[in-house]
Amino acid sequence: MPKHGLPQGFAGGNMLKQVQKMQEEMLRVQQELEEREYTSSAGGGAVTAVVSGKHEIVSLQISPGVIDPEDAEMLADLVIAAVNGAMREADETLQKEMSRFTGGMKLPF
């Protein structure tokens, strides 16, 4: 029996190559998406977060006018909203791109 475990002459050998090619393409797309940056703002642009596709914060910009020592909680809320929005954009982009390969099935990435 050949290395791939399929009987010789089995037509599935070609299918195996197609599956391997699809897996390689999925990996390439996933790596590209991890290298992209995703941006989201909160408070009308007062806070802007940029994250990578690996869910790492790349940058965080805070408008000086929104820094109020008497209301640190509001600033924290804006930062959380901006970061979460950028993370959500990264996840949605990954799901959308991967759905080309999965036929719309949601897979954990």
Side-chain angles (χ1 to χ4, degrees):
M1 196 175 265
K3 284 190 253 181
H4 52 69
L6 298 172
Q8 276 190 313
F10 183 70
N14 192 33
M15 180 181 256
L16 180 63
K17 288 179 184 177
Q18 289 176 338
V19 169
Q20 288 172 335
K21 184 177 178 179
M22 185 177 75
Q23 286 175 326
E24 290 169 4
E25 179 68 10
M26 283 177 64
L27 182 60
R28 183 190 64 75
V29 169
Q30 189 171 3
Q31 288 172 341
E32 284 179 9
L33 293 174
E34 286 178 353
E35 293 173 9
R36 277 193 204 169
E37 293 182 352
Y38 305 87
T39 304
S40 180
S41 296
V47 175
T48 301
V50 179
V51 302
S52 72
K54 293 180 182 179
H55 293 108
E56 296 171 345
I57 298 173
V58 175
S59 73
L60 183 65
Q61 296 175 343
I62 300 171
S63 173
V66 76
I67 300 172
D68 180 357
E70 301 296 318
D71 195 3
E73 189 175 323
M74 181 208 45
L75 179 56
D77 289 343
L78 292 174
V79 169
I80 290 167
V83 170
N84 285 340
M87 297 282 193
R88 195 169 29 258
E89 181 182 339
D91 289 340
E92 288 170 358
T93 302
L94 177 62
Q95 286 294 335
K96 185 174 106 183
E97 290 295 318
M98 288 296 119
S99 71
R100 295 184 312 160
F101 303 104
T102 63
M105 290 186 332
K106 291 201 178 226
L107 300 177
F109 291 104

